[in-house]
C-alpha cells in the first residue's frame, strides 16, 4: 500500500483476524489514522505477532515469528494495531522473548516503544479528541483484557465515542471481566469459556443496547457467536468501524448483503 498523509510515518499492523475475518476494521484504522494526519503504510512482509505460540508455551517459534515482525516494522515512526491483544504482545512481551540477546534485544525494545493500539494512539499520541462520524443507535462497550490490563485502554474509546453524532453509550455491567475468549483458552476449556461468555451476553442484554463494541476482534467474534446462538438481535462491531463512520455494512457474524443486479 502506498503512503498517505503528511504526518508521522505509521505502519499499520493489520492482525491475522482482521485480515481473515473483518477487513473493514483495517480500512477503518487507515481512515482514522489519515484523519489524524498520519502517513500510513501497510508493510507487505508482516505476519502474526506470535501470540498464539507464546501463550501456548512455544517460545522458540514465538521468537522466530517475532524476529520477522521486527524486521518488517523497523524504520517507521510508529506501529499501530487495531487490537490491544496484538499490540500488547509486541509492547509487553517482546522484551522478554529477547532478553539478554545483545543483537535482538535492542531491536525488540525499540519496536515495543513505538507500538500502540489504535484508539490509544489516536488519543494519547496524536491528541485526537473528536471524530467526524455518525451512528444512529445505542451502544455498549466491552473492555478487552489485553488492552485494559497491559495497555491501560479504558477511557480513550469512550471519550471518542462520546463525540459520534447520534450515538448513545450505555454502561455494561462487569465490562472489565473477560468474555471467555482468551485465544486458545476457548478451545482448551470450551465449557468454562461458554459459562463466561454467557454471563457477558446476559449483561449485554441487560444494558438495553442495540450494538456491542470492543477493540479486539477475537473478543468480538466470540461474543458475536454466542449472541447469535442465543437468537439475540444485538449487533457486534469493532469500535474503529463506528469511529471511522464505516459501520453501515453487515455486523460481525451477519451475512453479506447480495449485490444489486441491473436489469
Amino acid at each position: 500500500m502506498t503512503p498517505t498523509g503528511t504526518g508521522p510515518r505509521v505502519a499499520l499492523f493489520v492482525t491475522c483476524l482482521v485480515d481473515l475475518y473483518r477487513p473493514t476494521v483495517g480500512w477503518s484504522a487507515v481512515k482514522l489514522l489519515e484523519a489524524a494526519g498520519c502517513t500510513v503504510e501497510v508493510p507487505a512482509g508482516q505476519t502474526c505477532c506470535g501470540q498464539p505460540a507464546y501463550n501456548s508455551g512455544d517460545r522458540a517459534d514465538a521468537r522466530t515469528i517475532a524476529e520477522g515482525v521486527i524486521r518488517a516494522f523497523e524504520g517507521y515512526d510508529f506501529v499501530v494495531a487495531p487490537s490491544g491483544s496484538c499490540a500488547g504482545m509486541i509492547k509487553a512481551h517482546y522484551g522478554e522473548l529477547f532478553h539478554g540477546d545483545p543483537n535482538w534485544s535492542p531491536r525488540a525494545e525499540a519496536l515495543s516503544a513505538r507500538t500502540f493500539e489504535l484508539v490509544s494512539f489516536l488519543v494519547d499520541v496524536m491528541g485526537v479528541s473528536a471524530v467526524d462520524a455518525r451512528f444512529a443507535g445505542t451502544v455498549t462497550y466491552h473492555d478487552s483484557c489485553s488492552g485494559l490490563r497491559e495497555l491501560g485502554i479504558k477511557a480513550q474509546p469512550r471519550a471518542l465515542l462520546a463525540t459520534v453524532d447520534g450515538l448513545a453509550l450505555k454502561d455494561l455491567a462487569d465490562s472489565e471481566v473477560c468474555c471467555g475468549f482468551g485465544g486458545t483458552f476457548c478451545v482448551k476449556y470450551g465449557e468454562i469459556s461458554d459459562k463466561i461468555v454467557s454471563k457477558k451476553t446476559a449483561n449485554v442484554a441487560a444494558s438495553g443496547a442495540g450494538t456491542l463494541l470492543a477493540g479486539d476482534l477475537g473478543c468480538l467474534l466470540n461474543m458475536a457467536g454466542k449472541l447469535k446462538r442465543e437468537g439475540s438481535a444485538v449487533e457486534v462491531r469493532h469500535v474503529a468501524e463506528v469511529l471511522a463512520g464505516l459501520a453501515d455494512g453487515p455486523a460481525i457474524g451477519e451475512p453479506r448483503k447480495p449485490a444489486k443486479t441491473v436489469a
Side-chain angles (χ1 to χ4, degrees):
M1 180 174 177
T2 56
T4 57
T6 58
R9 187 168 172 242
V10 173
L12 180 65
F13 190 99
V14 177
T15 84
C16 300
L17 293 181
V18 169
D19 183 39
L20 293 172
Y21 293 103
R22 198 69 174 176
T24 51
V25 175
W27 294 117
S28 298
V30 171
K31 183 177 179 180
L32 290 165
L33 290 168
E34 288 181 354
C38 300
T39 296
V40 183
E41 297 182 44
V42 183
Q46 64 180 286
T47 62
C48 173
C49 66
Q51 187 183 71
Y54 180 85
N55 288 346
S56 298
D58 185 356
R59 295 297 192 267
D61 281 338
R63 177 176 166 130
T64 298
I65 295 168
E67 289 175 1
V69 172
I70 293 171
R71 292 190 191 97
F73 286 92
E74 283 180 320
Y76 294 94
D77 296 324
F78 298 101
V79 176
V80 174
S83 163
S85 179
C86 298
M89 175 62 193
I90 296 172
K91 201 168 186 69
H93 300 294
Y94 271 26
E96 175 192 341
L97 274 176
F98 296 100
H99 179 70
D101 187 316
N103 295 317
W104 282 100
S105 181
R107 297 169 71 180
E109 293 291 351
L111 178 62
S112 297
R114 300 194 311 274
T115 298
F116 294 87
E117 183 273 341
L118 173 65
V119 180
S120 66
F121 177 76
L122 293 170
V123 174
D124 300 331
V125 179
M126 298 303 296
V128 175
S129 58
V131 295
D132 182 15
R134 176 172 176 77
F135 184 86
T138 302
V139 308
T140 193
Y141 193 88
H142 162 73
D143 296 291
S144 299
C145 294
S146 294
L148 176 67
R149 294 171 176 82
E150 293 182 336
L151 304 176
I153 301 167
K154 174 75 174 181
Q156 301 94 323
R158 290 171 173 83
L160 293 187
L161 286 170
T163 70
V164 176
D165 185 32
L167 182 147
L169 179 63
K170 287 195 173 184
D171 290 335
L172 177 65
D174 296 328
S175 66
E176 297 184 356
V177 174
C178 177
C179 73
F181 175 62
T184 56
F185 174 86
C186 66
V187 177
K188 293 179 179 178
Y189 307 102
E191 292 186 4
I192 299 174
S193 174
D194 183 65
K195 293 291 185 182
I196 296 172
V197 75
S198 294
K199 292 182 179 180
K200 181 64 65 174
T201 56
N203 288 336
V204 171
S207 75
T211 301
L212 170 64
L213 304 178
D216 265 289
L217 194 51
C219 303
L220 290 164
L221 289 168
N222 183 49
M223 294 185 291
K226 183 62 176 179
L227 286 165
K228 290 300 177 187
R229 290 192 295 275
E230 293 176 341
S232 172
V234 173
E235 293 190 345
V236 181
R237 297 183 184 276
H238 193 286
V239 64
E241 296 174 308
V242 172
L243 295 177
L246 297 179
D248 52 348
I252 294 171
E254 295 286 352
R256 292 180 180 271
K257 296 179 181 179
K260 294 182 179 179
T261 57
V262 179

